[in-house]
Amino acid sequence: MRLLVVSLVVVIAWFAPDQARADVRCVQAFLAETAFDPGPVDGLWGRKTGDALTSAFAQLDREVEGGIGRNNTDAVCALFSGPEGSEIADLLALRIYPISLDIDGDDLLADPTAFDFSKVKVAEDANFGFCSFTIKRYLFSEDVTDDIATGTLSIDNGWVSVTTARWRTGGFAQPEQLVEQTNLALTTDGKLVGRMIYYERFIPEGEVFEPPIYVTLPARHEKGPTYPAGETFFHANGWSEGSIRLFCR
Amino acid sequence: MDRRTFLKLSSASAVLAGFPVPGLTKTLPKGRIAVLFLEGGLDGLAAVPPIGDPMLSRMRRNLVASKPLKVNPFFALHPNLKVFAQLLGRNQAAVFHATNLPYTRRSHFEGQRIAQTGDPSGAETMTGWLGRAMDQAGIAGRALTLDTPLLIRGTTDIDSFYPASLLGSQDPDGALLALIAEGHDGLTARTFAKLHEKAMASESLPRVRDPEGLALATGRAMRDPEGPRVTMIRIPEFDTHANQGTDIGLHPELIGLIDRVIARFREGLGPVWNETVLLTLTEFGRTVRENGSAGTDHGYGSAGLLAGGLISRAGVITNWPGLAEADLWEGRDLLSTLDYRSVCAACIEAALGLDHDVIADQVFFAPKLRRVTPYIFG
């Protein structure tokens, strides 16, 4: 009898760590088939196994009663070997490295015609049902002026709406672009202020088409008033500048 | 070489497909899908360097950008992917890394063919995976180029109309174009009417080869409710065996071009961006080590960039194989641990609303293809 008790104690003493090791091995073997590297599948709990398990459960966004520490590997093993095992394996086949970005600089995804009108005094009493306009280009290198686009617009409580447009540049320029991508207002001192789409080049037949650029009005060297008829200048690029000429009735 | 010269020399192209056709298209899928085909083999380790892998600097001394955009402790982006980085920050982009189609023989011709057919068995498949997806979704694949790219070739008969003038066909069939225009409504009619007009008006049609402009025009066309659901934009020249470049040079310039194409496409789509997913496709990655002429050779695993408002969870997603000698495919290439067709299938599922099992079975002939949709969509 005494011998039996002693043997039992010995068996339990052997069995317990053996079982724990088997549980760790079970967890490691499961993880090794996923994108979470537990290190060697040796039944020994180490930092790599712990880290892999922590990241895996973070991705799964779920918890195990008793936690996922080294003392609860039997519960984790049971989960992995249970009916949910294959679904969990699918969700861990790839590892999601989440994005933690510090973006400084300009917001490149912003609306290209977005403009802060908070410091602008919009001429709220200005209402013109019909104005014609011409967008002009002035080259710096020679005394040449070109018409880039023409069209009509209305001014409602100081806000500009382009109604029709015709580009002369060819390429990708389309009338509705000027209708949709003009964000301008008339200020109390008679200037056009805001952002709008602009094509800087003429595209001859067979040439490579050029995407548009976006310009801010007015340019800093703005001189005379535009209201009710006049010209507002804008910077375009290193070799030219542009303007809008307005004629309102 | 300045940008304009570079673009004039490039032979990028775009194709629009999947126009709703009266009588043939039943219920329209809401989404849009765009494939950016990077010909020549994108260097995934240059575009999305695994800066947290200690072997990166040992295996590649010169080909990692000096100031990468760190997106998390393990991965970074090439600094020319600025717009893409901001999209990641807004949960409108994702990267799958160490992935490619199961193709390891490193031939451009064969690789590009398999990237388009989606059938690595080597069979003479005459249709493309996106074309078969359109067949399954019930939208007619009709292309606006001279020769319909393999990728979007489906089995629908209507595919045999190739009006073909946007990209410089010398002999467009004016009568056929007029006939098609008459038989349709909406954008389809307008598009073919315009093509007819151009075919009649001018012998030498403008060659639209600027990928940024193409992306803008493509986005605008797809914005129309009656517009095409599918596009493929090709950017060639990724095959940089010599003088690949790190911060500046051809490969970095092309990576920047991917970024600008995505930006222009988004701009053209406007609000429809929210219903769109764009994914890159390339025939293979490039060797991990730099070669003797400051370039890289044909490899295996690469990275896939995805962007669009349909994406709901950003991240770099991979079963990272490691860059140590023993981890490389045949001792030289980044291992592909994910069949990229799974990523294509996820995009089809999200944009065209097909079941994964149907896509796996009917589109990719791979019934056991892994489903990765939950990693980034909904």
Side-chain angles (χ1 to χ4, degrees), chain B residues 8 28 43 65 69 94 105 125 127-128 135 210 225 233 242 284 315 329 342:
Chain B
K8 279 189 85 164
L28 269 182
D43 187 354
L69 302 168
R105 288 190 296 272
T125 310
T127 52
D135 284 351
D210 171 351
I233 300 173
F284 41 60
W329 170 254
S342 286

Side-chain angles (χ1 to χ4, degrees), chain B residues 24-40:
Chain B
L24 262 180
T25 307
K26 292 167 207 122
T27 41
L28 269 182
K30 201 175 162 218
R32 314 285 200 275
I33 183 165
V35 173
L36 199 52
F37 195 19
L38 312 176
E39 288 182 353

Side-chain angles (χ1 to χ4, degrees), chain B residues 118-277:
Chain B
D119 180 6
S121 73
E124 285 289 303
T125 310
M126 295 310 289
T127 52
W129 57 264
L130 202 47
R132 293 192 297 273
M134 284 191 284
D135 284 351
Q136 288 295 326
I139 44 174
R142 173 174 307 171
L144 290 183
T145 55
L146 179 60
D147 183 20
T148 307
L150 179 56
L151 177 69
I152 59 158
R153 263 183 233 163
T155 51
T156 319
D157 284 347
I158 202 131
D159 276 1
S160 55
F161 294 116
Y162 299 132
S165 340
L166 276 188
L167 295 178
S169 163
Q170 294 307 304
D171 188 21
D173 186 337
L176 177 62
L177 291 175
L179 201 66
I180 298 172
E182 276 167 27
H184 293 86
D185 308 317
L187 180 80
T188 313
R190 289 202 297 283
T191 307
F192 285 102
K194 203 171 209 172
L195 285 173
H196 176 247
E197 216 173 275
K198 281 189 173 174
M200 296 298 103
S202 144
E203 301 253 343
S204 62
L205 291 155
R207 287 180 177 268
V208 185
R209 289 182 303 193
D210 171 351
E212 290 174 65
L214 283 171
L216 183 70
T218 303
R220 289 186 66 85
M222 292 174 83
R223 181 179 175 171
D224 193 311
E226 297 170 79
R229 293 298 191 266
V230 173
T231 187
M232 167 177 138
I233 300 173
R234 278 174 60 234
I235 308 181
E237 316 281 339
F238 279 84
D239 193 23
T240 43
H241 287 283
N243 300 320
Q244 174 167 316
T246 302
D247 291 331
I248 51 167
L250 184 55
H251 216 86
E253 169 66 23
L254 288 166
I255 288 172
L257 188 56
I258 297 173
D259 202 54
R260 295 195 299 275
V261 161
I262 293 173
R264 291 295 181 183
F265 184 57
R266 176 179 171 275
E267 194 181 312
L269 284 168
V272 175
W273 170 258
N274 292 329
E275 292 152 26
T276 301
V277 62

